[in-house]
Amino acid sequence: MVKRTSHGAARCPVARPLDAIGDQWSLLILRDAFEGTTRFSAFQKSLGVSRNILSVRLRNLVDHGILDTAPAADGGAYQEYRLTEKGRGLFPVLVALRQWGETYFFAPEESHVVLVDRKHGLPVRRVEVRSQDGRLLGHEDTAISRIGERSTDTT
Amino acid sequence: MVKRTSHGAARCPVARPLDAIGDQWSLLILRDAFEGTTRFSAFQKSLGVSRNILSVRLRNLVDHGILDTAPAADGGAYQEYRLTEKGRGLFPVLVALRQWGETYFFAPEESHVVLVDRKHGLPVRRVEVRSQDGRLLGHEDTAISRIGERSTDTT
DNA sequence: CCGTATCCATTCCGATACTG
DNA sequence: CAGTATCGGAATGGATACGG
């Protein structure tokens, strides 16, 4: 009877996305999508997730406009899942998460460059947080202030 | 009997953090922590989450070394929760997520600058993904390639 | 005031069987 | 191959009662 709280109407732009990606699998699905994966079975094989969960997660991502489905592309008889523009907008999030994971979840000799820009063939160095005037803000000295405050509520 | 899959031993640096932050509340707790929140009740009041869940999530974040607890600071008789260096390393992730949320989950007139660098008093502009030579990689042209590949496995 | 423990409903996830 | 349906167990989350 007590429904789980949705963040979709929250005033904070950090909160709303959590309905779409705040779980154990969605970001990994999107990681594979950025790698070029489009097929249901390819996701399933890469992730090792059970198919019913993959089905639910894919539908949730489609419902949130992060992925869409196209009838076919390589002649296969089934759909393919593609990143929308909104979905591609998650790239900095994945890079930032990956950077953090590599720094704090792996031993030094375990770390390697594995992010490559597909267009230029360049490895991705890092995600940088910059202020309005372009100054680089070191995260050690930086904090989020009043992050949840909004001026209006159109929800 | 069938345990949920842990990503802690995954080879991918995007995957491992999901045990720590892959849920509906952890990133919001950390958002508040960046705002300066340290007390249990302050988190609870800000988030509206039930106290038992908050307790479990805080302990999970402490277990992952993202927060730590200090005996007291303002003379209060209880603990306070503080970001560790590892926790502060999540700042780019939160900024990137917030940027994406603001762009795709809010109407234009609903959006305002709410990220402020505490030290310089400057609004945070955006998160940028750059290559090794410092070139800015637009996320429209960019994809993650071989993101999950690791050279060694020291787990 | 600061949490923890308990109870319960919902959700997530894994295994598997099934349909097209 | 591409999913969906069903089942059971585990985890999440909400309401609330309880002890420090």
Side-chain angles (χ1 to χ4, degrees):
Chain A
M1 211 58 170
V2 181
K3 296 281 284 186
R4 167 184 231 146
T5 306
S6 167
H7 301 293
R11 300 266 183 33
C12 172
V14 174
R16 289 196 186 176
L18 291 174
D19 286 347
I21 60 163
D23 63 88
Q24 294 281 305
W25 292 111
S26 293
L27 287 175
L28 298 180
I29 292 170
L30 292 166
R31 174 203 64 185
D32 284 359
F34 275 108
E35 287 179 354
T37 301
T38 60
R39 305 293 285 252
F40 187 93
S41 289
F43 285 112
Q44 199 278 325
K45 194 168 300 186
S46 167
L47 299 174
V49 65
S50 52
R51 288 195 295 275
N52 55 348
I53 294 300
L54 179 59
S55 180
V56 171
R57 291 279 140 244
L58 284 172
R59 182 161 42 242
N60 186 248
L61 290 170
V62 170
D63 289 345
H64 278 92
I66 295 168
L67 299 176
D68 65 4
T69 55
D74 55 351
Y78 295 97
Q79 297 175 353
E80 63 177 18
Y81 297 90
R82 304 174 309 178
L83 286 164
T84 63
E85 183 194 345
K86 180 176 181 177
R88 288 193 299 274
L90 267 170
F91 185 67
V93 175
L94 280 174
V95 174
L97 182 59
R98 187 199 169 280
Q99 183 173 307
W100 183 65
E102 190 175 65
T103 302
Y104 291 104
F105 288 80
F106 282 80
E109 70 276 8
E110 212 179 354
S111 286
H112 271 258
V113 171
V114 293
L115 279 178
V116 179
D117 176 55
R118 174 169 292 171
K119 186 176 182 183
H120 305 94
L122 297 172
V124 172
R125 185 177 56 178
R126 57 180 291 114
V127 172
E128 299 174 343
V129 180
R130 291 181 180 273
S131 64
Q132 292 281 17
D133 62 0
R135 197 184 311 184
L136 181 62
L137 304 176
H139 62 267
E140 304 85 6
D141 312 315
T142 310
I144 297 176
S145 176
R146 298 165 59 232
I147 193 174
E149 194 168 297
R150 312 299 309 178
S151 60
T152 57
D153 186 13
T154 63
T155 311
Chain B
M1 210 58 172
V2 180
K3 297 279 285 185
R4 169 183 229 144
T5 306
S6 166
H7 301 293
R11 301 265 186 22
C12 172
V14 174
R16 289 195 187 177
L18 293 174
D19 286 347
I21 59 162
D23 64 89
Q24 294 282 303
W25 292 111
S26 292
L27 287 175
L28 298 180
I29 292 170
L30 292 165
R31 174 203 65 186
D32 285 359
F34 274 108
E35 286 179 354
T37 300
T38 60
R39 305 292 285 250
F40 186 93
S41 290
F43 286 113
Q44 199 278 325
K45 195 167 300 184
S46 167
L47 299 173
V49 65
S50 53
R51 288 196 293 274
N52 55 347
I53 294 298
L54 179 59
S55 180
V56 170
R57 291 278 140 248
L58 284 172
R59 182 161 42 244
N60 188 248
L61 291 170
V62 170
D63 289 346
H64 278 91
I66 294 167
L67 299 177
D68 65 5
T69 54
D74 55 352
Y78 296 96
Q79 297 174 355
E80 63 177 19
Y81 296 89
R82 304 174 310 180
L83 287 164
T84 62
E85 183 195 345
K86 180 177 181 178
R88 288 194 299 274
L90 267 170
F91 186 67
V93 175
L94 280 174
V95 174
L97 182 59
R98 187 200 168 280
Q99 183 173 305
W100 183 66
E102 190 176 66
T103 303
Y104 292 104
F105 289 80
F106 281 80
E109 71 277 9
E110 213 181 354
S111 285
H112 270 258
V113 171
V114 292
L115 279 179
V116 178
D117 176 56
R118 174 168 292 170
K119 186 175 182 182
H120 305 93
L122 297 172
V124 172
R125 185 177 56 179
R126 58 179 291 113
V127 171
E128 300 174 343
V129 180
R130 291 181 180 273
S131 65
Q132 293 280 17
D133 61 0
R135 198 184 310 185
L136 181 61
L137 304 175
H139 61 267
E140 304 85 7
D141 313 314
T142 310
I144 298 177
S145 176
R146 300 165 58 230
I147 194 173
E149 196 168 298
R150 311 299 312 178
S151 62
T152 56
D153 185 16
T154 64
T155 312

